[in-house]
Amino acid sequence: MSRIFVIGLGPGNPDQQTPEARKALSLVTDVIGYGPYVARLELPETVVRHPSDNRVELDRARHALELAGQGRCIAIVSGGDAGVFGMASALFEAIDHGLELWRTTEVTVIPGVSAVLAAAARIGAPLGGDFCVMSLSDNLKPWDVVCRRLRLAAEAGFVIALYNPRSKARPWQLGEALDILRTCLPGTVPVAFARAIGRPDERLTLTDLTNADPECVDMSTLVLIGSELTRKIERPQGDAWLYTSRSVPA
């Protein structure tokens, strides 16, 4: 039977890759994924690497299914968790709309440490209450849908984590998103820019909604906007913790 592992590699620090993910990688004949993710893997020379550019997720998924149909054991890799804006949904979409034979493929989705979890752990406990995770990219959904969801999430009192916040092709969207949130939330709400958490080029910036500067952000940054229940604990060392209260007033 053909087999595909869909593997979340974690946010980039090898220590945050799960034993289950490492075990699966030891079994495969081929690895498919976004070029930088494939390149950073330590694999035997016998494993065939199939790197590709960004935004070709369905092509990757179909390629994996075709190779698996030839009797090969395939790993499709994503950064963070493969089920959070990753390759798991692309693979199942390809199966849903593809060949009937693809439905017989054995698929194992292996969870990974998502960027929002790595960032939250570094910051303190900002996800201690209800929260939501959104992608700010409008490549697969209209921008007005993104804006409506932002407003509703803020009005509902969720802590909001933003993936894909800003790119060279979309330099303006984070600024507009922050402006929308400023109409719904106090300017004192904490904001964190967590870039490349766990990697050598990690950078963490804590600010508030009034002073949040989108120019500090790139595609490697997780943007976390607190709620009115998110608190900042100043520390003598100069850094600080954020946490969100578990209790919501009546």
Side-chain angles (χ1 to χ4, degrees), residues 234-241:
E234 300 287 356
R235 305 179 69 205
Q237 298 92 323
D239 56 357
W241 288 313

Side-chain angles (χ1 to χ4, degrees), residues 24-191:
L25 287 168
S26 74
L27 301 175
V28 302
T29 60
D30 300 71
V31 174
I32 293 175
Y34 178 45
Y37 301 152
V38 173
R40 77 186 188 206
L41 291 172
E42 295 184 6
L43 299 168
E45 292 184 3
T46 54
V47 176
V48 181
R49 300 174 190 247
H50 303 270
S52 55
D53 292 334
N54 206 1
R55 296 176 63 178
V56 292
E57 290 89 352
L58 278 176
D59 290 340
R60 282 192 212 120
R62 296 185 187 109
H63 187 201
L65 289 159
E66 290 165 358
L67 288 176
Q70 298 169 18
R72 302 182 71 81
C73 184
I74 311 300
I76 305 176
V77 297
S78 285
D81 181 273
V84 180
F85 307 120
M87 281 300 301
S89 58
L91 177 66
F92 289 115
E93 182 178 341
I95 292 172
D96 188 24
H97 299 285
L99 302 176
E100 188 68 25
L101 179 64
W102 288 351
R103 297 178 181 233
T104 67
T105 305
E106 183 179 351
V107 176
T108 304
V109 180
I110 296 177
V113 177
S114 181
V116 66
L117 300 181
R122 181 72 82 246
I123 294 165
L127 308 182
D130 295 333
F131 68 95
C132 68
V133 177
M134 294 178 54
S135 171
L136 211 56
S137 171
D138 62 348
N139 290 329
L140 298 174
K141 58 183 179 288
W143 178 243
D144 63 336
V145 170
V146 177
C147 296
R148 179 167 58 87
R149 290 178 177 178
L150 278 171
R151 290 190 190 94
L152 292 173
E155 290 168 3
F158 291 116
V159 172
I160 303 170
L162 297 177
Y163 281 64
N164 307 314
R166 193 168 186 263
S167 68
K168 291 180 180 178
R170 300 181 292 102
W172 55 271
Q173 289 174 323
L174 178 58
E176 184 168 321
L178 292 171
D179 285 341
I180 290 169
L181 293 172
R182 289 178 184 121
T183 68
C184 309
L185 296 169
T188 54
V189 162
V191 172

Side-chain angles (χ1 to χ4, degrees), residues 229-246:
L229 298 176
T230 304
R231 303 286 181 260
K232 185 177 183 181
I233 302 175
E234 300 287 356
R235 305 179 69 205
Q237 298 92 323
D239 56 357
W241 288 313
L242 299 182
Y243 81 99
T244 298
S245 174
R246 297 173 298 147

